[in-house]
Amino acid sequence: MESFEQLVDQYEPMLHKIMNSLHLYKNHDEFYQHSLIALWEASQRFDPNKGSFTNYAYTYIKGCLLMELKKLHQDHERDVHPDEQFWDLVEDSFSDDPLQNEILLSYCETLTPNQKKWLLYTVCDHLTIKEIAELEKVSLSAVKSWRSGAREKVKNLVKD
């Protein structure tokens, strides 16, 4: 059979005709690439004893593009993108819960006030060491010392 480049030159109008008949105007380059792959596969699978290559290639390429369209449609149907109204109704899991703070502090009665600040900022507000230092207007090393002291005391409480 001919080289693939010659096949592409010969059957390129047919590829565009198939794409136009399927109304493929979005992702044109992607579908053109799929049609080229299908043309190559058709050239590899073609049996000259069963008919003309043009009919076989047309059917094979159109079938491959239809399968790709079906796959894209199924993927689109599976992807769920809720409306903006949905996000307004969703409850924030990190909302302020005073009971959570009380329970957390009840386990940490031995902590210093600064260690309690570190614990609450870290667990409840999800702040980093740098953010805590900026908020409290202290150095990073001060916040790190609060952290190490609090961790040590909590470890001892858990062991007992």
Side-chain angles (χ1 to χ4, degrees):
M1 199 169 237
E2 310 166 10
S3 73
F4 184 67
E5 290 80 18
Q6 291 171 335
L7 271 178
V8 171
D9 290 340
Q10 182 180 353
Y11 289 100
E12 188 168 13
M14 183 176 75
L15 299 178
H16 290 291
K17 172 77 171 140
I18 294 170
M19 291 174 60
N20 286 338
S21 72
L22 296 174
H23 306 289
L24 300 175
Y25 57 92
K26 290 182 181 178
N27 304 329
H28 187 268
D29 293 336
E30 181 180 339
F31 282 107
Y32 182 71
Q33 184 67 30
H34 283 291
S35 65
L36 287 175
I37 292 169
L39 177 63
W40 181 80
E41 289 175 352
S43 70
Q44 298 299 310
R45 295 176 178 214
F46 176 63
D47 182 7
N49 298 328
K50 293 188 176 181
S52 73
F53 178 72
T54 304
N55 292 340
Y56 179 75
Y58 183 89
T59 307
Y60 190 85
I61 294 166
K62 190 168 185 176
C64 287
L65 291 178
L66 285 170
M67 286 191 313
E68 186 62 28
L69 276 171
K70 180 180 177 184
K71 181 180 154 210
L72 287 174
H73 179 70
Q74 287 173 342
D75 290 345
H76 180 72
E77 289 293 316
R78 289 183 185 132
D79 290 340
V80 177
H81 303 287
D83 295 335
E84 285 298 319
Q85 295 171 350
F86 171 80
W87 296 112
D88 293 336
L89 299 174
V90 172
E91 187 175 318
D92 186 11
S93 62
F94 296 116
S95 63
D96 291 333
D97 185 4
L99 185 59
Q100 178 186 6
N101 293 350
E102 288 179 30
I103 293 170
L104 187 61
L105 289 175
S106 70
Y107 288 107
C108 305
E109 294 173 353
T110 60
L111 297 180
T112 66
N114 287 334
Q115 291 170 346
K116 287 180 184 179
K117 285 182 192 177
W118 171 82
L119 183 69
L120 289 174
Y121 284 141
T122 303
V123 175
C124 298
D125 299 331
H126 306 285
L127 298 180
T128 64
I129 292 175
K130 185 177 180 181
E131 293 169 336
I132 295 170
E134 290 172 0
L135 188 64
E136 290 293 319
K137 295 180 178 45
V138 295
S139 66
L140 287 174
S141 60
V143 177
K144 288 179 183 178
S145 70
W146 301 349
R147 177 185 65 183
S148 65
R151 284 181 173 173
E152 195 62 39
K153 288 180 182 178
V154 170
K155 280 183 192 176
N156 291 336
L157 283 173
V158 172
K159 285 181 183 177
D160 296 339

